Amino acid sequence: MYSKWFYITENIGNNSFSFKKRKNKKLWVPNLIKIRDFSEIKLQDDKDKIAFEDFDFDWKLSTNYWLKNFYEIDPPNPLIKGKIYLFDNHNHALYFWYLARDLWLINEKWNILYHIDEHADYRNPEVFLEKTDLDSIFKYTNFSNVNVGNYIIPAEKQWLIWKTIQIRNTKNLKDYLDWKFENEEKNKKIILNLDLDFFEPELDFIDYDLKKKVILDIAKKSSIITVSTSPFFIDQILAIKVFKDLFGN
C-alpha cells in the first residue's frame, strides 16, 4: 500500500470538507518512499496535486499542497530507535500503526499512544473498523469516512491503542516531565503521534524548548513515530524546518 500515488475523488474522508462548495473535487495522496537523509524531503510544486482544501475561519478557500512523497525514515539521531513516518493529513497515521504491528515494531494490542497536537483528533467516525488486515486498513484510512479528526478512536476500539495520552498545552507538557504518566507505560510499547501544527505561530506562547524536550524524550522511548505536517493548519516550510530541528542529529 502507498506504493503508487492516487487521487481521492469521492465525497469521503478529507475530501468531504466543503466538497459541494469547492470547484476542485479531488485530493492527491502521494506514494511512500524510504529515505536516508532529510535533504531528500522535497516539496510538491504541481498545482494539480492538492493535499487538503477547505474554507478557513475567514471563509476564504485555503488550498494546500504538500510533499512529493510520504517518507519512511530511520532517524539520524542515534538516541531515537523508532522508525519515523512523515506524511501530510493525520489520518494516515492509522495505517502506519497497523503496518508497525505487522512488522512487530509494536504489540498486537495494548500500546500507549502519545498524541501531541493542536487538536484532539478524537471524534467518532460514522463507521468503525471491522477487519484489521493491512488491505482493509488502507481502504478504511483512505476510502471511508475517516479524516484528520476521527482516526484515533477506531484503533482504540480494536485495542491496538490501549490508552491515548493527549499533550496539547503547557500543563500537559509539564505533567509529562513530572512523570504523571509513568505508570501507564509499564510493559507497553509506545507510539509517538506528532502533528507539527503544535508549532504553528498562534501556539508560540507554549515554550519551544519545552515542546522539543518532551517530544524528544517520548521519541527515545517510542517504537514508531508518526508525524503529520497538517497542510491546512501550519505553513509547510515551517513544518519541515521544525521536523528537521526535532529529529535531526
Side-chain angles (χ1 to χ4, degrees), residues 97-108 189 223:
W97 300 340
Y98 277 95
L99 176 61
R101 177 205 64 179
D102 281 17
L103 295 174
W104 299 99
L105 299 176
I106 60 175
N107 296 327
E108 186 174 357
K189 293 287 188 179
S223 299

Side-chain angles (χ1 to χ4, degrees), residues 16 23 44 73 99 111 130 166 190 224 233 244:
S16 66
K23 292 182 179 179
Q44 178 58 254
I73 310 167
L99 176 61
N111 302 286
E130 295 182 358
Q166 297 272 355
I190 293 174
I224 177 179
F233 296 102
K244 291 179 178 180

Side-chain angles (χ1 to χ4, degrees), residues 8-22:
I8 299 173
T9 58
E10 298 179 34
N11 185 4
I12 55 174
N14 295 322
N15 203 30
S16 66
F17 290 99
S18 303
F19 183 82
K20 294 181 179 180
K21 296 180 180 180
R22 290 163 32 220

